[in-house]
Each structure stands twice: as C-alpha cells, then as structure tokens.
Amino acid sequence: MKHYQTDPYNALEAISEAQKIAFGPMLFQASWCLRETGVLAFLESRGQQGASLADIARACALSEYGAGVLLDMGLGGGLCYLAEERYVLGRVGKYLLNDPMSRVNFDFTQHLCYQPLAHLLDAHHQRTLGIDRAAGHGISGLLRHGAAFARQQRLIGRAAAFDHHPIHRNDFTGTHQNVI
C-alpha cells in the first residue's frame, strides 16, 4: 500500500485543499439548509429548466437574500450550477438529496457529530473520563444511558488475541490468499 507515503499535492492543489477545509463547516451547514428548506427538492422538480432565484425563494418560503446566500454556497460546493441565470441541481446535490448512504451520513453528522466535534480540542486536553450525564457537559445527552466512552462500554478491553477466534477460528490471521 503506497497511500500516505508521499505528499500528493502541488502548491496550487494544496492551497485549494486547505481552503476546502477552512470553508467546509460553512458548506456543510449551507448544504444542510438547502436540503432541509426544500431548495434541492425544488430544483430537482424543475429538471434541466432550472429556476430563478425569485422562484426558488417563493417556492421554499425564503427571502431572496437568504436563498441567494445558500445558493452561492451551493454553487461553490457543486450542489447546483447556473444555466443562463437559472439554478439547476447538480450531481452532488442529487446525491445529497436522494442517495440513501449520503443521506444517512449527512443526518448522522448533523445530529450527532457536528456540535460535539466543536469540543474536540477540549477532549484532547482533558483526561478521558465517564460523563454519566454530567451537568453542563455538551455531549452527555447524546450518549445512550449516560455511559461515556468505549472503555466504559467494554468496547475496548484487555484480552489476549488467543482468547478469541475472530476469523474462521484462525488464531493467526494473515492476508487472504484469494484476489479480491
């Protein structure tokens, strides 16, 4: 495997990737709003004909300014594109709207990951302890039954590999002999 063993980007590609990361949270939230307000579904219903900003704002009960801000982010993220001043749903937008895996991952990230990830640096500086519904802790309500991290859930345990037969009862596993 040769992944991650060299820097794959030239300077222009690297700065483009850095900008994607810097604006990623805004693109995510704008994309979420475009889906949840019905803008993506409305654009899908319009097909290749697309829709004007005024039509989108009216159909989705948004101000033209608000719809314009969201659509500008959608243009930058490839969710939609302009065809003669009309917005048309792009392939990325179609997948965010209709692909089951993309929808599940989008919803999971929005509902369970987005706010807790804002505290990732705090978690790095603090000792990993059980939360057990600690008052005022930002993510305690997300954890089922108030239990905290994998270690308390016995997802990470101390056991020798020989105590388990995880792969076809082979104590010493290796690469699979068949080409996949």
Side-chain angles (χ1 to χ4, degrees):
M1 175 176 7
K2 299 272 186 204
H3 297 298
Y4 310 117
Q5 295 179 1
T6 62
D7 189 347
Y9 303 111
N10 64 36
L12 182 59
E13 293 167 337
I15 198 165
S16 294
E17 290 299 313
Q19 293 304 305
K20 284 182 190 177
I21 293 168
F23 287 102
M26 289 177 268
L27 177 59
F28 179 91
Q29 290 300 329
S31 301
W32 174 260
C33 290
L34 285 166
R35 191 185 84 174
E36 293 302 301
T37 59
V39 171
L40 297 181
F42 179 69
L43 289 177
E44 183 177 51
S45 74
R46 302 296 300 218
Q48 292 302 309
Q49 172 187 347
S52 69
L53 177 60
D55 291 340
I56 295 166
R58 189 172 29 261
C60 299
L62 298 169
S63 69
E64 282 193 37
Y65 175 78
V69 169
L70 294 175
L71 287 163
D72 282 346
M73 289 297 294
L75 289 170
L79 279 71
C80 56
Y81 62 93
L82 281 172
E84 299 179 19
E85 301 302 314
R86 297 177 71 80
Y87 293 89
V88 180
L89 186 64
R91 288 185 185 102
V92 174
K94 289 178 184 179
Y95 278 107
L96 284 178
L97 184 62
N98 298 310
D99 176 57
M101 182 176 66
S102 296
R103 288 187 65 88
V104 166
N105 288 334
F106 207 39
D107 291 342
F108 174 78
T109 300
Q110 174 67 13
H111 294 299
L112 296 175
C113 300
Y114 207 84
Q115 289 181 353
L117 282 172
H119 303 285
L120 191 58
L121 186 59
D122 296 337
H124 174 72
H125 293 296
Q126 296 174 0
R127 186 170 168 238
T128 308
L129 297 172
I131 294 171
D132 203 26
R133 300 205 194 282
H137 198 286
I139 62 172
S140 63
L142 298 176
L143 299 169
R144 190 177 189 126
H145 306 300
F149 298 103
R151 188 168 177 198
Q152 280 101 1
Q153 289 296 318
R154 308 298 283 152
L155 297 173
I156 300 173
R158 294 181 186 143
F162 298 109
D163 292 345
H164 303 283
H165 300 286
I167 302 174
H168 302 294
R169 302 232 178 260
N170 291 322
D171 290 325
F172 300 100
T173 61
T175 59
H176 196 281
Q177 62 190 6
N178 297 329
V179 177
I180 298 176

